[in-house]
Amino acid sequence: MMSESNKEGAALNQVDQQLIPGQSARFKKQIEFILEVDKLKHVLRQTILMDRSRRENSAEHSWHVALLVFLLAEHSKETDIDLLHVMKMLVIHDLVEIDAGDTYCYDDKGRQDQHQREEIAADRIFGLLPADQAAEFRALWDEFEKRETAESRFANALDRVQPLLHNYFTDGQTWQENNINSRQVHARMRPVKAGAPDLWDYVNTLIDDAVGKGFLAG
Amino acid sequence: MMSESNKEGAALNQVDQQLIPGQSARFKKQIEFILEVDKLKHVLRQTILMDRSRRENSAEHSWHVALLVFLLAEHSKETDIDLLHVMKMLVIHDLVEIDAGDTYCYDDKGRQDQHQREEIAADRIFGLLPADQAAEFRALWDEFEKRETAESRFANALDRVQPLLHNYFTDGQTWQENNINSRQVHARMRPVKAGAPDLWDYVNTLIDDAVGKGFLAG
């Protein structure tokens, strides 16, 4: 009953401007963007779900970290921050993966051209939006990537902590499958220190415990 | 390699208070909540993805509507609203489905006891949080359900519009499978009028067009 082929391209073409209220070109672009970003639900990450049944996709991850923004706000290093801004960043931070794919954080080869691939993706995907919103979304993504503001440091901390919890509470299955060691995980987690020191303490304890229990190489 | 059994219960028990910084009971509850809400990724909705490949889950839906909050903010009936509050509501609005399941909006029988089932679920799930956050999350969910504030009316409008777009742009596949007619869809979409009149105009046009094209019964 369900087709295997990707019909999203076709669906995009179906946004009929005649049916848009006032035939607004702006509103049409917003609707097309809504249809386009649906593709994030198909981007699979290395992370597995807590019940180990399957890999997580980037839309699910983005939702989970958006929830962490207000659940864990008290753990932000700088507490007088704009949480709406943090949530916006996290909701859109992975959209570039629609074109660039999810690059595994320990894939050194893939990471060499990751930024270049994602810049091209950002140009196309955010370019679908009305100009002012294209600029707003692109600025949010750039800010997230640069980690120079308090909001982006907290956002990056949450983005690192969530998969760490998945890895730890599934006994390091993904770490083992990819021969990851504790030094690699420590290095990957460094932004947590800058954005959320309490969480950094917990992360370090979990890494040490994982090594002690033998499901993460020392 | 991946187990079919649900190991989430086991994972929850693995939150070892000895490993929590300062052995904080509060922080332990926050971590347990993060693990628990992962289950939302397993709750399947009737809505199918835009490429028709599979059903959408409630975590993906929650992410998609969170993005609509700032993409479509200009279409809110009342524009001077707290968008962070809207985002919080939408990020947590479906968590009760972890216990109560997704009730199809046109399932009249299932909807008879939906509220009762969801209240019980809310008690358990939000009850996992530290008391102040349990109260905050529960108040957000109650506000969303009651639709008495400008923020909750806009949130509900977005929650209705997103699946309408999925249905329309997949040629009404789910409508047809469930023998849904346009009067049922109109009734289901009424909250869009109260929260986002521009979107309500578009919804009506799409419903009429779907009937005209023969993929929604009149």
Side-chain angles (χ1 to χ4, degrees):
Chain A
M1 191 159 54
M2 307 238 179
S3 161
E4 289 299 307
S5 68
N6 190 321
K7 293 185 179 174
E8 204 137 21
L12 270 179
N13 294 332
Q14 289 168 19
V15 178
D16 183 347
Q17 193 154 349
Q18 302 292 324
L19 300 180
I20 300 277
Q23 300 193 28
S24 160
R26 177 179 180 81
F27 191 23
K28 180 170 184 281
K29 286 181 181 194
Q30 292 171 335
I31 298 297
E32 286 172 342
F33 191 77
I34 294 168
L35 304 185
E36 179 68 19
V37 301
D38 191 64
K39 293 177 182 170
L40 195 65
K41 300 165 190 171
H42 298 288
V43 176
L44 293 181
R45 297 163 52 80
Q46 287 296 323
T47 312
I48 56 171
L49 299 189
M50 292 290 181
D51 74 350
R52 311 186 193 194
S53 60
R54 62 167 172 83
R55 288 164 68 185
E56 184 184 47
N57 69 56
S58 292
E60 296 168 328
H61 160 72
S62 298
W63 164 76
H64 212 163
V65 292
L67 190 153
L68 300 193
V69 173
F70 53 104
L71 177 66
L72 300 178
E74 70 205 52
H75 302 293
S76 172
K77 183 172 185 179
E78 292 162 82
T79 50
D80 186 24
I81 59 173
D82 180 346
L83 293 182
L84 174 61
H85 200 72
V86 180
M87 288 190 81
K88 286 181 178 179
M89 268 190 276
L90 285 170
V91 165
I92 65 108
H93 80 290
D94 272 345
L95 288 180
V96 293
E97 295 180 358
I98 288 171
D99 287 355
D102 179 64
T103 305
Y104 187 42
C105 58
Y106 303 112
D107 171 8
D108 291 336
K109 190 160 180 296
R111 285 171 65 81
Q112 281 176 7
D113 65 346
Q114 180 181 2
H115 191 69
Q116 190 183 359
R117 285 183 288 114
E118 291 187 348
E119 289 271 343
I120 295 167
D123 288 345
R124 185 190 74 78
I125 295 164
F126 299 136
L128 297 172
L129 289 162
D132 61 310
Q133 293 190 305
E136 181 197 356
F137 280 53
R138 180 55 180 262
L140 285 166
W141 182 68
D142 287 341
E143 182 182 347
F144 178 83
E145 290 289 305
K146 285 180 185 160
R147 293 183 241 152
E148 290 172 353
T149 61
E151 282 80 6
S152 63
R153 283 191 290 269
F154 185 50
N156 274 274
L158 299 176
D159 185 48
R160 306 287 166 113
V161 163
Q162 186 259 358
L164 184 281
L165 293 175
H166 278 255
N167 276 315
Y168 178 83
F169 286 102
T170 55
D171 295 342
Q173 184 173 307
T174 305
W175 286 331
Q176 292 186 62
E177 286 170 7
N178 293 281
N179 297 311
I180 305 303
N181 65 46
S182 66
R183 278 164 301 152
Q184 291 172 291
V185 179
H186 262 291
R188 177 69 186 163
M189 290 297 136
R190 290 293 294 187
V192 180
K193 186 175 185 180
D198 297 355
L199 301 182
W200 172 245
D201 290 346
Y202 188 46
V203 162
N204 276 292
T205 305
L206 293 185
I207 292 172
D208 292 347
D209 190 63
V211 173
K213 287 181 175 149
F215 60 77
L216 175 63
Chain B
M1 193 158 52
M2 307 240 179
S3 161
E4 290 297 307
S5 68
N6 190 322
K7 295 184 179 175
E8 204 137 19
L12 270 180
N13 294 332
Q14 290 169 19
V15 178
D16 182 347
Q17 193 155 349
Q18 302 292 324
L19 300 180
I20 299 276
Q23 299 193 29
S24 160
R26 176 180 180 81
F27 190 24
K28 180 170 185 280
K29 287 181 180 192
Q30 291 171 336
I31 298 297
E32 286 172 343
F33 191 77
I34 294 169
L35 304 185
E36 178 67 19
V37 301
D38 191 64
K39 294 177 182 171
L40 195 65
K41 300 166 190 171
H42 297 289
V43 177
L44 294 181
R45 297 161 53 79
Q46 287 296 322
T47 311
I48 57 171
L49 299 188
M50 291 290 181
D51 75 349
R52 310 186 194 194
S53 60
R54 62 168 171 84
R55 288 163 68 186
E56 184 185 45
N57 68 57
S58 292
E60 295 168 328
H61 160 71
S62 297
W63 164 76
H64 211 163
V65 291
L67 190 153
L68 300 194
V69 173
F70 52 105
L71 177 67
L72 301 179
E74 70 205 52
H75 301 292
S76 171
K77 183 172 184 179
E78 291 162 83
T79 51
D80 186 23
I81 59 173
D82 180 346
L83 293 182
L84 175 61
H85 200 73
V86 180
M87 288 190 81
K88 285 180 178 180
M89 269 190 274
L90 285 170
V91 165
I92 65 108
H93 81 291
D94 272 345
L95 288 179
V96 293
E97 295 180 358
I98 288 171
D99 287 355
D102 179 64
T103 305
Y104 187 42
C105 59
Y106 303 113
D107 172 8
D108 291 335
K109 190 159 179 296
R111 286 171 65 81
Q112 281 175 8
D113 66 346
Q114 180 182 4
H115 192 68
Q116 189 183 358
R117 285 183 287 113
E118 292 186 349
E119 288 271 343
I120 295 167
D123 288 345
R124 185 191 74 80
I125 294 164
F126 299 136
L128 298 172
L129 289 163
D132 61 309
Q133 292 190 305
E136 181 196 355
F137 280 53
R138 179 56 179 261
L140 285 166
W141 183 67
D142 287 341
E143 181 182 347
F144 177 83
E145 291 289 306
K146 286 182 185 158
R147 293 184 241 152
E148 291 172 353
T149 62
E151 282 80 6
S152 63
R153 283 191 290 269
F154 185 50
N156 274 273
L158 299 177
D159 185 47
R160 306 287 167 113
V161 163
Q162 186 259 358
L164 185 281
L165 293 176
H166 278 255
N167 277 314
Y168 177 83
F169 286 102
T170 55
D171 296 342
Q173 183 173 308
T174 304
W175 287 330
Q176 292 187 63
E177 286 170 6
N178 293 282
N179 296 311
I180 305 303
N181 65 46
S182 65
R183 277 164 302 152
Q184 291 171 290
V185 179
H186 261 291
R188 177 70 186 162
M189 290 297 134
R190 290 292 294 187
V192 180
K193 185 176 186 180
D198 298 354
L199 302 181
W200 171 246
D201 290 345
Y202 188 46
V203 162
N204 277 291
T205 305
L206 293 185
I207 292 171
D208 291 347
D209 191 62
V211 173
K213 287 181 174 149
F215 61 77
L216 175 62

